[in-house]
Amino acid sequence: MRQIDVVTIFPEMFEPYLGSSIIGKARERGLVAVNVHNLRDHTEDKHRTTDDTPYGGGPGMVMKIEPIARAFESIKNDGLPTRSILVTPQGRRFDQGMAEEFSKDERRLLILCGRYEGVDERVVEQYIDDEVSVGDYVLTGGELPALVIIDASVRLLPGVLGDEGSLEDESFSWGILDYPQYTRPPQWGGKGVPEVLTSGNHAGIDRYRRKEALRRTMARRPDLLDKARLDSNDMRLIEEIKEEE
Ligand code: SAM
C-alpha cells in the first residue's frame, strides 16, 4: 500500500489530521500518498446532490450510485491495481491484523466514506472488495473510520516510525496488550516506579514487562489470550499471576 484514495463529501476533514505528526511526515517523505476526492465534484446537477430518498420509504437519505460510480471510474482510470473498501458498521471488524494486511497489500487502497443511512447496495456489489467496521457503534459518517484505518495501516509501513522496535512491543503485536509505562520523575505524589525498571537488569525488565502485559490482558481482555502467540515462559508467568491472585 503506497497510495490511498478517499472518496467523501467532507474532504476538508482529512488534511488537519493527515498533514500532522507521523502520517504527515510519512507523506512528506514520499512513503505514502493520500488523495482525498470530493464526491460532489462528480455530481452533474446544480445542487451537487449526492443523496436521495430510500426506495421502500423510511427515515433518512441514501447515497446515490451515479456520483460514486463516476468518482470510482475516474480514480481507477489510472490503471493502478486497487482494493476498494466501504466503511460501514456492517463490515468486518477492523483490528491490528487487518491493519497489517492493508499495509502489506501492494494495491492502492480506495476508501469510500458513507453518510446518511449508507450507500445504495448496488455500489457495494459493483465496486467494493471489503466492507470494514471500526467497532460496534454508529458514527455520523465514514470519515473518522477512514482516518482510523489510514493511521493504523500507514504507521506499519516500513520507515514510517523512527524506532521500528516500538512496533514489536506494543499492544496486539503479540496478540496481547502492552505493559505499563513510566518516565521521570522517579517519585510523584508518593508514587514510585517499579524497582526493576531502574535496576539496569535487562532480563529482569523483560520478564517484568512480559508478566505485566500478560496480567493486563488476563484482567482486561481475556478473550485475546486464546489467539495470542504464547510460549512456555508465558505459560509459567500466567501460572505465577494466578497464584498471586
Ligand atoms: N444505517 C447505517 C447502519 O445502520 O448500518 C448507519 C449509517 S451511518 C449513520 C453513516 C455512515 O457512517 C455509514 O454509511 C458508514 O460509512 C459510517 N459509519 C458509521 N459507523 C461506522 C462504523 N462503526 N464503522 C465504519 N463506518 C461507520
Side-chain angles (χ1 to χ4, degrees), residues 3-4 13-15 17 25 30 43 56 65 92 112 133 137 151 156 189-190 202 204 222-223 227 230 236:
Q3 184 171 328
I4 300 170
M13 289 183 176
F14 285 83
E15 200 47 38
Y17 192 85
K25 288 207 185 78
T43 55
I65 295 190
R92 185 154 66 103
L112 175 60
S133 163
Y137 42 80
D151 187 300
L156 298 177
H202 294 294
D223 57 299
K227 285 187 275 168
L230 303 180
R236 265 196 297 280

Side-chain angles (χ1 to χ4, degrees), residues 2-224:
R2 289 277 176 258
Q3 184 171 328
I4 300 170
D5 287 75
V6 182
V7 175
T8 169
I9 58 168
F10 291 112
E12 69 278 12
M13 289 183 176
F14 285 83
E15 200 47 38
Y17 192 85
L18 295 179
S20 309
S21 187
I22 291 171
I23 310 295
K25 288 207 185 78
R27 290 170 68 201
E28 268 170 38
R29 289 162 59 210
L31 298 173
V32 66
V34 186
N35 308 311
V36 181
H37 307 265
N38 189 347
L39 184 60
R40 293 198 194 282
D41 292 343
H42 299 275
T43 55
E44 290 184 336
D45 64 312
K46 196 171 98 200
H47 300 292
R48 312 207 332 141
T49 311
T50 57
D51 60 323
D52 206 340
T53 52
Y55 276 122
M61 300 295 274
V62 175
M63 291 180 84
K64 289 166 67 62
I65 295 190
E66 300 96 318
I68 296 173
R70 279 192 287 267
F72 269 53
E73 298 295 347
S74 85
I75 293 165
K76 291 168 87 173
N77 209 11
D78 61 12
L80 276 185
T82 298
R83 179 175 190 173
S84 302
I85 69 169
L86 170 68
V87 283
T88 161
Q90 300 163 35
R92 185 154 66 103
R93 189 118 55 107
F94 188 66
D95 61 11
Q96 191 67 14
M98 214 188 293
E100 276 168 30
E101 190 191 312
F102 288 154
S103 73
K104 289 186 183 135
D105 196 322
E106 294 294 318
R107 291 171 291 177
R108 173 242 316 274
L109 191 63
L110 172 53
I111 306 178
L112 175 60
C113 303
R115 279 270 153 184
Y116 320 114
E117 292 307 314
V119 306
D120 189 306
E121 193 60 26
R122 291 167 292 180
V123 166
V124 179
E125 288 163 17
Q126 183 70 21
Y127 292 108
I128 300 299
D129 298 309
D130 296 296
E131 294 177 76
V132 181
S133 163
V134 292
D136 292 341
Y137 42 80
V138 178
L139 298 163
T140 54
E143 288 72 18
L144 280 174
L147 285 169
V148 166
I149 291 166
I150 293 169
D151 187 300
S153 307
V154 167
R155 73 188 284 282
L156 298 177
L157 290 174
V160 169
L161 291 186
D163 179 6
E164 303 272 337
S166 59
L167 285 177
E168 285 281 294
D169 262 11
E170 66 191 2
S171 291
F172 308 114
S173 54
W174 293 88
I176 62 174
L177 302 181
D178 203 357
Y179 48 79
Q181 301 277 10
Y182 298 87
T183 185
R184 280 181 283 242
Q187 285 291 332
W188 181 83
K191 292 181 192 296
V193 303
E195 238 175 76
V196 64
L197 295 179
T198 54
S199 68
N201 171 357
H202 294 294
I205 293 171
D206 286 348
R207 187 175 192 284
Y208 160 83
R209 286 180 163 167
R210 188 73 186 172
K211 188 169 173 181
E212 293 314 306
L214 287 164
R215 193 192 305 279
R216 279 202 162 175
T217 310
M218 288 163 73
R220 299 179 187 184
R221 292 292 307 277
D223 57 299
L224 293 176

